[in-house]
Amino acid sequence: MTASLFQNSFYVVNNLNAILYGVELTLYFMTLRQVAQTRRRTKQDKFLVVFSTALLVLNTIYWTTQSYFGQQMWVVHADYPGGMDAYLNDNVAVWYQTWGSAAVMISQLMADVLLMFRLTVIWDNNPIVIVPALIWFGSFASCLGLLYESGRPDGNYFAGIATKFGTAWNSLTFSFNVIVTSLICGRIIYIGRRLSGTDEGTKAYTGAVAIIVESALPFTLGNLAYVITYGMGSDIAIAFSWYSMFTAISPQLIALRVLRRRAWQKDSAASFLSTINFSDRTNVTTNEGSRTEYETERKLDADSSLNLSTLRASRNADYTA
């Protein structure tokens, strides 16, 4: 292990996580304010508040345990025999580190469940989540193995069998998010292109912001960088673990859009497709009407030419006579 690179990466990600935690807090209080301003609150609104609160608590546990471990390693035990690396190796399985890992894993699983629900909403099709659901169960099993191997005495999150469970968990999580993100992005882009120019009000549902938020795209991209570096065994992988903060931020953004009534609903897809079909029928009718008018004009022109020729012939006959 290149100690200096790992220690610097861990320091950098702790600072990034602090910034992202501030973003999460801001979004959470924006959500509460939106609910307070909503006169007619639905059961879904109340559920989203509870869901958002649970994610905030889990995110807080993860961020504080990571920050506290860094403080213990760099400040409190700066004179630890063997230095920072020795402290890391001897205390990486400390109980609160396992607690923080469990918090982010639960948060991840909850966020994935929300994404599966949003997938069924946007596609208006329940069977489409069968493959993502199977991957989700595999990810859940990997989480249990990783927690056990990294939390047991002498366990290490970054060494031994724990790395195999970690690679499996991160790979399954990445696969899940690539599939779900691609399906959501593809659906929104498809409908957005078909609706282009038909209704300005649909841009809120098919624009760039909708694609990024509904598909949790930032989380997927961050997860990609982490999976690649973690799989390579690079010490810089920890620097990309900031994506874990998006297990709370991405669902929070979705919840805020739902509460603002700007997110896709169950009837959105059907409504948009009805608009597309109506537009297509209108275009066909317009084209057929234009073709009919063109043929009628050609027939009138032909009749006019025939009548004019007949008139000229009659005049010539009279003149000759």
Side-chain angles (χ1 to χ4, degrees):
M1 174 184 288
T2 305
S4 60
L5 180 59
F6 182 88
Q7 296 287 349
N8 278 284
S9 299
F10 192 38
Y11 175 80
V12 168
V13 78
N14 272 1
N15 286 279
L16 289 175
N17 286 347
I19 296 172
L20 293 174
Y21 183 71
V23 173
E24 162 63 12
L25 279 177
T26 302
L27 291 172
Y28 176 74
F29 285 111
M30 288 175 64
T31 300
L32 293 183
R33 185 181 66 177
Q34 183 64 41
V35 172
Q37 293 175 349
T38 302
R39 294 182 179 179
R40 296 181 178 179
R41 303 186 186 96
T42 64
K43 291 182 179 180
Q44 180 177 247
D45 296 342
K46 298 176 182 178
F47 169 78
L48 287 175
V49 171
V50 176
F51 188 83
S52 299
T53 303
L55 288 179
L56 176 63
V57 171
L58 292 169
N59 207 241
T60 301
I61 293 173
Y62 170 71
W63 175 68
T64 52
T65 54
Q66 292 291 95
S67 299
Y68 181 75
F69 186 75
Q71 180 192 30
Q72 293 293 309
M73 182 167 57
W74 298 319
V75 180
V76 178
H77 299 285
D79 56 350
Y80 192 84
M84 295 179 294
D85 301 319
Y87 182 87
L88 175 66
N89 292 328
D90 294 342
N91 296 276
V92 69
V94 68
W95 68 270
Y96 56 83
Q97 277 288 85
T98 304
W99 193 28
S101 298
V104 76
M105 290 176 186
I106 295 172
S107 179
Q108 169 65 54
L109 293 170
M110 291 175 60
D112 287 349
V113 170
L114 179 63
L115 271 180
M116 283 192 288
F117 172 72
R118 296 302 300 165
L119 180 63
T120 61
V121 169
I122 292 173
W123 275 84
D124 193 22
N125 184 4
N126 292 331
I128 199 170
V129 299
I130 292 177
V131 173
L134 293 175
I135 298 175
W136 185 90
F137 282 111
S139 178
F140 176 73
S142 299
C143 286
L144 296 179
L146 179 57
L147 283 175
Y148 173 77
E149 287 296 330
S150 62
R152 65 184 177 83
D154 298 326
N156 191 331
Y157 187 94
F158 302 99
I161 299 177
T163 58
K164 296 181 179 180
F165 281 111
T167 301
W169 172 53
N170 286 293
S171 299
L172 288 170
T173 299
F174 176 68
S175 300
F176 174 92
N177 282 279
V178 167
I179 293 173
V180 175
T181 297
S182 299
L183 287 171
I184 292 177
C185 287
R187 181 69 164 176
I188 294 176
I189 291 173
Y190 167 76
I191 291 182
R193 288 182 176 180
R194 296 295 302 274
L195 288 174
S196 179
T198 60
D199 186 3
E200 292 294 326
T202 61
K203 289 184 177 180
Y205 300 91
T206 59
V209 175
I211 293 173
I212 293 172
V213 174
E214 292 281 5
S215 65
L217 188 59
F219 175 85
T220 303
L221 296 178
N223 193 14
L224 171 63
Y226 181 78
V227 166
I228 293 175
T229 52
Y230 185 84
M232 294 171 58
S234 174
D235 291 335
I236 203 174
I238 191 70
F240 293 103
S241 64
W242 54 263
Y243 85 92
S244 298
M245 301 298 290
F246 277 89
T247 59
I249 293 176
S250 291
Q252 195 70 67
L253 287 170
I254 294 174
L256 192 57
R257 280 181 64 86
V258 171
L259 291 169
R260 287 179 173 178
R261 308 300 188 253
R262 296 178 66 85
W264 284 60
Q265 303 294 334
K266 272 289 186 182
D267 57 344
S268 296
S271 176
F272 292 153
L273 291 174
S274 297
T275 302
I276 291 171
N277 293 332
F278 176 77
S279 177
D280 290 344
R281 288 196 300 270
T282 302
N283 291 334
V284 170
T285 303
T286 302
N287 292 335
E288 290 179 351
S290 299
R291 190 181 301 111
T292 302
E293 290 178 0
Y294 175 72
E295 291 176 353
T296 302
E297 289 177 357
R298 286 190 59 186
K299 185 176 180 181
L300 290 175
D301 290 342
D303 292 342
S304 298
S305 298
L306 180 62
N307 292 336
L308 182 60
S309 298
T310 304
L311 180 61
R312 285 178 178 175
S314 176
R315 287 180 177 179
N316 289 336
D318 293 342
Y319 180 77
T320 300

